[in-house]
Amino acid sequence: MAVYTLPELPYDYAALDPVINPQIVELHHDKHHAAYVKGANDTLEQLAEARDKESWGSINGLEKNLAFHLSGHILHSIYWHNMTGDGGGEPLAADGVGELADAISESFGSFAAFKAQLTKASATTQGSGWGVLAYEPLSGRLIVEQVYDHQGNVGQGSTPILVFDAWEHAFYLQYKNQKVDFIDAMWAVVNWQDVARRHAAAKDRGDSLLLAP
């Protein structure tokens, strides 16, 4: 039985148009995200077989594959819910997301400064990767991370709450090689209600993942 399953989209393929056209959403979710789910499940089976046979020659490659596919599945699962056709703008107290807005200002100085940093981090990731806003539990602050592939260059224990997919499959059919244009457009579909819920949940967990002194 599969451990991981492909989640359904919270909207139809056309919901994010014109920022992301329906063809990209369909291919991205049904093909690329599905491949990460399959990859994670296949790797778990291969690890089980290695344990049964005490055959550890491929352990390094299998562990790397698990991190890659599982992180891809997790980040994409967040990504779909981070967007909405009715999104965009700036998080405001009047919209019920004042705590998130305050946290962004406290961590980055202003929303404009945060937006500029996440945009640059997403658009300049070398090769394939993500721009991520994460809650860092040791400091209780929000940080921007530039994630290589799906799992590299990440602070341990940080919880992603807003993710921008900067892999070419996320935009190339529509934006060609203009990654910066895609990232700029992404701000028009950010679902701040979802980001605020993730921020609140991450804060509630606090430093439970850390054995801090």
Side-chain angles (χ1 to χ4, degrees), residues 51-72:
R51 289 193 302 272
D52 290 343
K53 295 180 178 179
E54 295 188 2
S55 176
W56 304 114
S58 60
I59 188 68
N60 286 342
L62 289 175
E63 294 290 1
K64 184 176 181 179
N65 285 345
L66 181 60
F68 176 82
H69 290 296
L70 179 55
S71 294

PDB file of all heavy atoms in Angstrom, residues 51-72:
ATOM      1  N   ARG A  51      16.778  -3.418   3.733  1.00  0.00           N
ATOM      2  CA  ARG A  51      16.819  -3.850   5.135  1.00  0.00           C
ATOM      3  C   ARG A  51      16.648  -5.359   5.240  1.00  0.00           C
ATOM      4  O   ARG A  51      17.360  -6.029   5.999  1.00  0.00           O
ATOM      5  CB  ARG A  51      15.734  -3.136   5.947  1.00  0.00           C
ATOM      6  CG  ARG A  51      15.980  -1.665   6.189  1.00  0.00           C
ATOM      7  CD  ARG A  51      15.041  -1.110   7.248  1.00  0.00           C
ATOM      8  NE  ARG A  51      13.636  -1.281   6.912  1.00  0.00           N
ATOM      9  CZ  ARG A  51      12.932  -0.400   6.195  1.00  0.00           C
ATOM     10  NH1 ARG A  51      13.516   0.685   5.715  1.00  0.00           N
ATOM     11  NH2 ARG A  51      11.640  -0.610   5.956  1.00  0.00           N
ATOM     12  N   ASP A  52      15.667  -5.888   4.489  1.00  0.00           N
ATOM     13  CA  ASP A  52      15.391  -7.322   4.541  1.00  0.00           C
ATOM     14  C   ASP A  52      16.600  -8.149   4.116  1.00  0.00           C
ATOM     15  O   ASP A  52      16.898  -9.204   4.689  1.00  0.00           O
ATOM     16  CB  ASP A  52      14.190  -7.662   3.656  1.00  0.00           C
ATOM     17  CG  ASP A  52      12.883  -7.128   4.216  1.00  0.00           C
ATOM     18  OD1 ASP A  52      12.848  -6.793   5.423  1.00  0.00           O
ATOM     19  OD2 ASP A  52      11.909  -7.026   3.444  1.00  0.00           O
ATOM     20  N   LYS A  53      17.296  -7.658   3.110  1.00  0.00           N
ATOM     21  CA  LYS A  53      18.430  -8.400   2.556  1.00  0.00           C
ATOM     22  C   LYS A  53      19.759  -7.987   3.189  1.00  0.00           C
ATOM     23  O   LYS A  53      20.799  -8.562   2.860  1.00  0.00           O
ATOM     24  CB  LYS A  53      18.498  -8.190   1.048  1.00  0.00           C
ATOM     25  CG  LYS A  53      17.311  -8.758   0.289  1.00  0.00           C
ATOM     26  CD  LYS A  53      17.457  -8.519  -1.217  1.00  0.00           C
ATOM     27  CE  LYS A  53      16.295  -9.127  -1.988  1.00  0.00           C
ATOM     28  NZ  LYS A  53      16.420  -8.887  -3.449  1.00  0.00           N
ATOM     29  N   GLU A  54      19.693  -6.984   4.076  1.00  0.00           N
ATOM     30  CA  GLU A  54      20.911  -6.399   4.654  1.00  0.00           C
ATOM     31  C   GLU A  54      21.910  -6.060   3.543  1.00  0.00           C
ATOM     32  O   GLU A  54      23.111  -6.313   3.641  1.00  0.00           O
ATOM     33  CB  GLU A  54      21.534  -7.348   5.682  1.00  0.00           C
ATOM     34  CG  GLU A  54      20.647  -7.567   6.894  1.00  0.00           C
ATOM     35  CD  GLU A  54      21.351  -8.345   7.995  1.00  0.00           C
ATOM     36  OE1 GLU A  54      22.532  -8.681   7.832  1.00  0.00           O
ATOM     37  OE2 GLU A  54      20.700  -8.601   9.022  1.00  0.00           O
ATOM     38  N   SER A  55      21.349  -5.459   2.508  1.00  0.00           N
ATOM     39  CA  SER A  55      22.141  -5.060   1.338  1.00  0.00           C
ATOM     40  C   SER A  55      22.236  -3.541   1.330  1.00  0.00           C
ATOM     41  O   SER A  55      21.307  -2.854   0.911  1.00  0.00           O
ATOM     42  CB  SER A  55      21.462  -5.553   0.053  1.00  0.00           C
ATOM     43  OG  SER A  55      22.147  -5.111  -1.084  1.00  0.00           O
ATOM     44  N   TRP A  56      23.354  -3.034   1.808  1.00  0.00           N
ATOM     45  CA  TRP A  56      23.479  -1.606   2.055  1.00  0.00           C
ATOM     46  C   TRP A  56      24.326  -0.872   1.015  1.00  0.00           C
ATOM     47  O   TRP A  56      24.646   0.302   1.188  1.00  0.00           O
ATOM     48  CB  TRP A  56      24.078  -1.370   3.438  1.00  0.00           C
ATOM     49  CG  TRP A  56      23.295  -2.027   4.520  1.00  0.00           C
ATOM     50  CD1 TRP A  56      23.698  -3.055   5.318  1.00  0.00           C
ATOM     51  CD2 TRP A  56      21.952  -1.722   4.923  1.00  0.00           C
ATOM     52  NE1 TRP A  56      22.698  -3.408   6.195  1.00  0.00           N
ATOM     53  CE2 TRP A  56      21.612  -2.609   5.978  1.00  0.00           C
ATOM     54  CE3 TRP A  56      21.006  -0.787   4.495  1.00  0.00           C
ATOM     55  CZ2 TRP A  56      20.372  -2.583   6.597  1.00  0.00           C
ATOM     56  CZ3 TRP A  56      19.775  -0.772   5.117  1.00  0.00           C
ATOM     57  CH2 TRP A  56      19.461  -1.660   6.156  1.00  0.00           C
ATOM     58  N   GLY A  57      24.660  -1.527  -0.078  1.00  0.00           N
ATOM     59  CA  GLY A  57      25.509  -0.892  -1.076  1.00  0.00           C
ATOM     60  C   GLY A  57      24.885   0.330  -1.731  1.00  0.00           C
ATOM     61  O   GLY A  57      25.598   1.232  -2.164  1.00  0.00           O
ATOM     62  N   SER A  58      23.552   0.370  -1.771  1.00  0.00           N
ATOM     63  CA  SER A  58      22.873   1.495  -2.425  1.00  0.00           C
ATOM     64  C   SER A  58      22.260   2.477  -1.437  1.00  0.00           C
ATOM     65  O   SER A  58      21.462   3.335  -1.832  1.00  0.00           O
ATOM     66  CB  SER A  58      21.776   0.963  -3.350  1.00  0.00           C
ATOM     67  OG  SER A  58      20.821   0.203  -2.605  1.00  0.00           O
ATOM     68  N   ILE A  59      22.617   2.373  -0.154  1.00  0.00           N
ATOM     69  CA  ILE A  59      21.947   3.170   0.868  1.00  0.00           C
ATOM     70  C   ILE A  59      22.102   4.668   0.646  1.00  0.00           C
ATOM     71  O   ILE A  59      21.148   5.440   0.810  1.00  0.00           O
ATOM     72  CB  ILE A  59      22.432   2.775   2.292  1.00  0.00           C
ATOM     73  CG1 ILE A  59      21.590   3.474   3.365  1.00  0.00           C
ATOM     74  CG2 ILE A  59      23.918   3.062   2.474  1.00  0.00           C
ATOM     75  CD1 ILE A  59      20.163   3.008   3.428  1.00  0.00           C
ATOM     76  N   ASN A  60      23.296   5.123   0.242  1.00  0.00           N
ATOM     77  CA  ASN A  60      23.489   6.561   0.044  1.00  0.00           C
ATOM     78  C   ASN A  60      22.558   7.104  -1.036  1.00  0.00           C
ATOM     79  O   ASN A  60      21.916   8.152  -0.860  1.00  0.00           O
ATOM     80  CB  ASN A  60      24.947   6.855  -0.327  1.00  0.00           C
ATOM     81  CG  ASN A  60      25.888   6.733   0.846  1.00  0.00           C
ATOM     82  OD1 ASN A  60      25.447   6.751   1.991  1.00  0.00           O
ATOM     83  ND2 ASN A  60      27.168   6.610   0.567  1.00  0.00           N
ATOM     84  N   GLY A  61      22.475   6.399  -2.162  1.00  0.00           N
ATOM     85  CA  GLY A  61      21.610   6.844  -3.238  1.00  0.00           C
ATOM     86  C   GLY A  61      20.143   6.798  -2.867  1.00  0.00           C
ATOM     87  O   GLY A  61      19.369   7.708  -3.212  1.00  0.00           O
ATOM     88  N   LEU A  62      19.745   5.760  -2.115  1.00  0.00           N
ATOM     89  CA  LEU A  62      18.343   5.642  -1.722  1.00  0.00           C
ATOM     90  C   LEU A  62      17.937   6.738  -0.745  1.00  0.00           C
ATOM     91  O   LEU A  62      16.838   7.299  -0.846  1.00  0.00           O
ATOM     92  CB  LEU A  62      18.088   4.258  -1.113  1.00  0.00           C
ATOM     93  CG  LEU A  62      18.122   3.082  -2.095  1.00  0.00           C
ATOM     94  CD1 LEU A  62      17.983   1.766  -1.342  1.00  0.00           C
ATOM     95  CD2 LEU A  62      17.023   3.206  -3.149  1.00  0.00           C
ATOM     96  N   GLU A  63      18.807   7.042   0.210  1.00  0.00           N
ATOM     97  CA  GLU A  63      18.481   8.099   1.167  1.00  0.00           C
ATOM     98  C   GLU A  63      18.370   9.453   0.466  1.00  0.00           C
ATOM     99  O   GLU A  63      17.504  10.271   0.783  1.00  0.00           O
ATOM    100  CB  GLU A  63      19.542   8.164   2.266  1.00  0.00           C
ATOM    101  CG  GLU A  63      19.587   6.933   3.164  1.00  0.00           C
ATOM    102  CD  GLU A  63      18.387   6.803   4.079  1.00  0.00           C
ATOM    103  OE1 GLU A  63      17.472   7.650   4.029  1.00  0.00           O
ATOM    104  OE2 GLU A  63      18.359   5.841   4.879  1.00  0.00           O
ATOM    105  N   LYS A  64      19.262   9.694  -0.511  1.00  0.00           N
ATOM    106  CA  LYS A  64      19.193  10.937  -1.272  1.00  0.00           C
ATOM    107  C   LYS A  64      17.911  10.995  -2.084  1.00  0.00           C
ATOM    108  O   LYS A  64      17.251  12.048  -2.155  1.00  0.00           O
ATOM    109  CB  LYS A  64      20.411  11.050  -2.186  1.00  0.00           C
ATOM    110  CG  LYS A  64      20.474  12.370  -2.954  1.00  0.00           C
ATOM    111  CD  LYS A  64      21.758  12.467  -3.763  1.00  0.00           C
ATOM    112  CE  LYS A  64      21.828  13.805  -4.499  1.00  0.00           C
ATOM    113  NZ  LYS A  64      23.078  13.945  -5.279  1.00  0.00           N
ATOM    114  N   ASN A  65      17.531   9.862  -2.695  1.00  0.00           N
ATOM    115  CA  ASN A  65      16.292   9.822  -3.471  1.00  0.00           C
ATOM    116  C   ASN A  65      15.073  10.077  -2.597  1.00  0.00           C
ATOM    117  O   ASN A  65      14.135  10.778  -3.005  1.00  0.00           O
ATOM    118  CB  ASN A  65      16.145   8.463  -4.160  1.00  0.00           C
ATOM    119  CG  ASN A  65      17.057   8.315  -5.367  1.00  0.00           C
ATOM    120  OD1 ASN A  65      17.598   9.294  -5.861  1.00  0.00           O
ATOM    121  ND2 ASN A  65      17.238   7.081  -5.811  1.00  0.00           N
ATOM    122  N   LEU A  66      15.069   9.514  -1.401  1.00  0.00           N
ATOM    123  CA  LEU A  66      13.934   9.716  -0.506  1.00  0.00           C
ATOM    124  C   LEU A  66      13.806  11.195  -0.131  1.00  0.00           C
ATOM    125  O   LEU A  66      12.706  11.754  -0.156  1.00  0.00           O
ATOM    126  CB  LEU A  66      14.077   8.864   0.754  1.00  0.00           C
ATOM    127  CG  LEU A  66      12.919   8.977   1.749  1.00  0.00           C
ATOM    128  CD1 LEU A  66      11.603   8.542   1.118  1.00  0.00           C
ATOM    129  CD2 LEU A  66      13.206   8.150   3.001  1.00  0.00           C
ATOM    130  N   ALA A  67      14.925  11.827   0.210  1.00  0.00           N
ATOM    131  CA  ALA A  67      14.888  13.247   0.558  1.00  0.00           C
ATOM    132  C   ALA A  67      14.380  14.081  -0.611  1.00  0.00           C
ATOM    133  O   ALA A  67      13.564  15.002  -0.440  1.00  0.00           O
ATOM    134  CB  ALA A  67      16.279  13.720   0.981  1.00  0.00           C
ATOM    135  N   PHE A  68      14.846  13.764  -1.812  1.00  0.00           N
ATOM    136  CA  PHE A  68      14.463  14.520  -3.002  1.00  0.00           C
ATOM    137  C   PHE A  68      12.973  14.382  -3.294  1.00  0.00           C
ATOM    138  O   PHE A  68      12.251  15.382  -3.440  1.00  0.00           O
ATOM    139  CB  PHE A  68      15.285  14.024  -4.200  1.00  0.00           C
ATOM    140  CG  PHE A  68      14.914  14.662  -5.507  1.00  0.00           C
ATOM    141  CD1 PHE A  68      15.413  15.907  -5.857  1.00  0.00           C
ATOM    142  CD2 PHE A  68      14.061  14.013  -6.395  1.00  0.00           C
ATOM    143  CE1 PHE A  68      15.074  16.501  -7.064  1.00  0.00           C
ATOM    144  CE2 PHE A  68      13.723  14.594  -7.609  1.00  0.00           C
ATOM    145  CZ  PHE A  68      14.230  15.841  -7.943  1.00  0.00           C
ATOM    146  N   HIS A  69      12.483  13.153  -3.368  1.00  0.00           N
ATOM    147  CA  HIS A  69      11.086  12.931  -3.749  1.00  0.00           C
ATOM    148  C   HIS A  69      10.120  13.343  -2.639  1.00  0.00           C
ATOM    149  O   HIS A  69       9.069  13.944  -2.916  1.00  0.00           O
ATOM    150  CB  HIS A  69      10.871  11.464  -4.121  1.00  0.00           C
ATOM    151  CG  HIS A  69      11.527  11.072  -5.399  1.00  0.00           C
ATOM    152  ND1 HIS A  69      11.175  11.607  -6.612  1.00  0.00           N
ATOM    153  CD2 HIS A  69      12.524  10.179  -5.661  1.00  0.00           C
ATOM    154  CE1 HIS A  69      11.914  11.085  -7.567  1.00  0.00           C
ATOM    155  NE2 HIS A  69      12.739  10.215  -7.027  1.00  0.00           N
ATOM    156  N   LEU A  70      10.453  13.032  -1.406  1.00  0.00           N
ATOM    157  CA  LEU A  70       9.561  13.391  -0.310  1.00  0.00           C
ATOM    158  C   LEU A  70       9.473  14.901  -0.145  1.00  0.00           C
ATOM    159  O   LEU A  70       8.385  15.456   0.032  1.00  0.00           O
ATOM    160  CB  LEU A  70      10.016  12.726   0.990  1.00  0.00           C
ATOM    161  CG  LEU A  70       9.175  13.036   2.235  1.00  0.00           C
ATOM    162  CD1 LEU A  70       7.710  12.712   2.001  1.00  0.00           C
ATOM    163  CD2 LEU A  70       9.716  12.262   3.431  1.00  0.00           C
ATOM    164  N   SER A  71      10.614  15.582  -0.224  1.00  0.00           N
ATOM    165  CA  SER A  71      10.596  17.039  -0.117  1.00  0.00           C
ATOM    166  C   SER A  71       9.833  17.652  -1.290  1.00  0.00           C
ATOM    167  O   SER A  71       9.097  18.638  -1.119  1.00  0.00           O
ATOM    168  CB  SER A  71      12.026  17.587  -0.067  1.00  0.00           C
ATOM    169  OG  SER A  71      12.678  17.177   1.117  1.00  0.00           O
ATOM    170  N   GLY A  72       9.995  17.072  -2.491  1.00  0.00           N
ATOM    171  CA  GLY A  72       9.231  17.557  -3.635  1.00  0.00           C
ATOM    172  C   GLY A  72       7.737  17.413  -3.413  1.00  0.00           C
ATOM    173  O   GLY A  72       6.947  18.317  -3.748  1.00  0.00           O
TER     174      GLY A  72
END
